[in-house]
């Protein structure tokens, strides 16, 4: 007589379920880890993070400046720390950093040509070279035309002799507010002026259209304001 076991056959479901549960839990943990990493790294994926500073502390010639990021003209210079030279521009007369440049096509290139509406600034380490004041007092007089120039509206203009290194330029000066600017003359392109001043270990060189000298006091005061705004805390 054949004997049958009274013990019931075991179902494979509990064993299958025992293998599935760890897989599901592991997958959920992996998804959570990926989500956490994505959340932590998200602000750094853009060109500027959500908390990126509006200004950068930059040291030029050992002198600290706080510079608006959007005013820095070259992307390679948009970092904090010591730099040999940095180039900026600001809208005039507001002295606000300019916005992103507009895209220009061949159809809009002619319309994009317009009067310069900004003041350009270069900050460079001077390495104990002659100061702007020394050049004005010791170098420029050697090349100036000796003809007397009477001031107009407080601003004096003297021409450089044509046989000198500055032969195509004129020297403008005023006492209050203080201004000294070397300006090219209008020709195929409008004349531009260059004004310099020394701050600590750096020389600041401002460039602006010669035509602005019709309101020279405003220009001189704008350069004073920019110098004060950009200078970092003095140690």
């Amino acid at each position: 007589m054949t004997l049958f076991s009274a013990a019931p056959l075991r179902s494979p479901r509990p064993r299958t379920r025992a293998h599935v549960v760890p897989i599901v839990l592991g997958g959920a943990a992996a998804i959570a880890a990926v989500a956490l990493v994505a959340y932590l790294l998200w602000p750094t994926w853009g060109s500027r993070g959500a908390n990126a500073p509006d200004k950068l502390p930059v040291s030029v010639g050992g002198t600290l400046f706080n510079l608006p990021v959007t005013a820095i003209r070259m992307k390679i210079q948009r970092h904090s720390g010591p730099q040999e030279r940095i180039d900026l521009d600001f809208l005039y007369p507001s002295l606000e950093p300019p916005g992103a440049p507009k895209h220009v096509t061949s159809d809009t290139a002619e319309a994009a040509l317009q009067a310069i509406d900004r003041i350009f600034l270069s900050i460079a380490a001077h390495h104990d070279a002659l100061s702007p004041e020394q050049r004005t007092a010791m170098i420029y007089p050697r090349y100036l035309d000796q003809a007397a120039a009477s001031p107009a509206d407080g601003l004096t203009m003297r021409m450089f002799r044509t046989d000198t290194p500055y032969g195509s330029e004129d020297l403008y000066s005023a006492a209050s507010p203080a201004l000294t600017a070397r300006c090219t003359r209008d020709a195929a392109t409008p004349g531009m002026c260059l004004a310099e001043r020394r701050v600590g270990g750096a020389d600041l060189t401002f460039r602006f259209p010669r035509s602005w000298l019709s309101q020279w006091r405003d220009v001189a005061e704008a350069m004073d304001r920019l110098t004060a705004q950009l200078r970092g805390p003095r140690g």
Side-chain angles (χ1 to χ4, degrees):
M1 185 176 191
T2 306
L3 298 177
F4 295 93
S5 174
L9 297 177
R10 294 183 178 179
S11 172
R13 290 183 180 178
R15 182 175 300 176
T16 303
R17 187 176 302 163
H19 289 294
V20 170
V21 171
I23 294 175
V24 171
L25 293 177
I31 293 173
V34 171
L36 178 61
V37 172
Y39 173 78
L40 293 175
L41 294 181
W42 181 268
T44 66
W45 290 352
S47 58
R48 292 185 63 200
N51 297 321
D54 293 328
K55 293 187 176 183
L56 291 175
V58 175
S59 173
V60 181
T63 301
L64 182 63
F65 297 89
N66 288 322
L67 307 179
V69 176
T70 54
I72 301 174
R73 300 179 63 193
M74 302 174 64
K75 289 184 178 181
I76 195 173
Q77 296 176 337
R78 292 180 182 176
H79 63 84
S80 59
Q83 296 200 48
E84 184 68 15
R85 174 189 170 118
I86 195 161
D87 300 283
L88 310 101
D89 61 347
F90 298 87
L91 297 175
Y92 181 83
S94 69
L95 302 184
E96 293 293 328
K102 297 180 180 179
H103 179 67
V104 178
T105 65
S106 57
D107 296 330
T108 60
E110 185 175 350
L113 296 175
Q114 55 184 355
I116 297 175
D117 62 350
R118 60 194 63 190
I119 186 169
F120 300 92
L121 170 61
S122 296
I123 305 175
H126 59 68
H127 300 298
D128 294 325
L130 282 178
S131 69
E133 293 78 12
Q134 289 173 318
R135 280 195 294 274
T136 300
M138 301 167 54
I139 304 299
Y140 295 159
R142 304 177 187 176
Y143 303 118
L144 288 169
D145 192 309
Q146 296 304 312
S150 57
D153 189 29
L155 184 66
T156 299
M157 188 273 284
R158 295 187 65 183
M159 299 176 61
F160 285 100
R161 299 194 310 274
T162 56
D163 60 342
T164 70
Y166 309 107
S168 62
E169 301 180 38
D170 300 317
L171 183 67
Y172 285 87
S173 59
S176 182
L179 173 68
T180 300
R182 236 177 53 223
C183 303
T184 59
R185 297 165 192 151
D186 293 330
T189 57
M192 293 291 291
C193 293
L194 179 153
E196 300 172 288
R197 58 188 64 192
R198 179 159 291 183
V199 176
D203 280 348
L204 280 63
T205 302
F206 295 89
R207 293 177 176 83
F208 55 89
R210 179 175 176 141
S211 60
W212 289 6
L213 290 176
S214 60
Q215 298 177 326
W216 67 269
R217 290 184 176 85
D218 294 336
V219 177
E221 291 171 357
M223 291 189 291
D224 289 340
R225 293 202 310 273
L226 271 179
T227 301
Q229 290 172 12
L230 301 180
R231 181 72 192 273
R234 296 159 179 78

